[in-house]
Amino acid sequence: MYVCLCVGVTDREIREAADNGISSMRQLGKELGVGRQCGRCACTAREILKEARSPDYLTLANMLAQPA
């Protein structure tokens, strides 16, 4: 889903950024432009980033990435 309509950033892009080492909203803003325009996306983007950096998400992502 689109999280930031101002720059067209999706939740998938935020999760990919977290997988690539982005760990803060400041870094996310610099990398993807999230939260730099109107700011309405900041809370949602922060939650997605937090979720993507959690151990439970990382375990699930690694499990799903392995071939069956």
Side-chain angles (χ1 to χ4, degrees):
M1 84 175 156
Y2 279 95
V3 175
C4 180
L5 296 177
C6 295
V7 293
V9 176
T10 65
D11 61 321
R12 183 174 292 175
E13 290 173 296
I14 294 172
R15 284 181 173 81
E16 286 176 9
D19 289 344
N20 291 328
I22 299 294
S23 61
S24 70
M25 280 300 292
R26 182 174 297 219
Q27 292 173 323
L28 195 62
K30 286 181 181 178
E31 185 73 24
L32 300 178
V34 173
R36 300 289 181 156
Q37 298 290 322
C38 74
R40 291 183 183 176
C41 63
C43 289
T44 303
R46 186 176 292 109
E47 285 301 314
I48 293 169
L49 183 61
K50 180 180 172 183
E51 175 187 290
R53 300 293 299 164
S54 75
D56 292 337
Y57 175 82
L58 296 174
T59 300
L60 178 61
N62 287 333
M63 184 182 75
L64 293 174
Q66 296 176 3

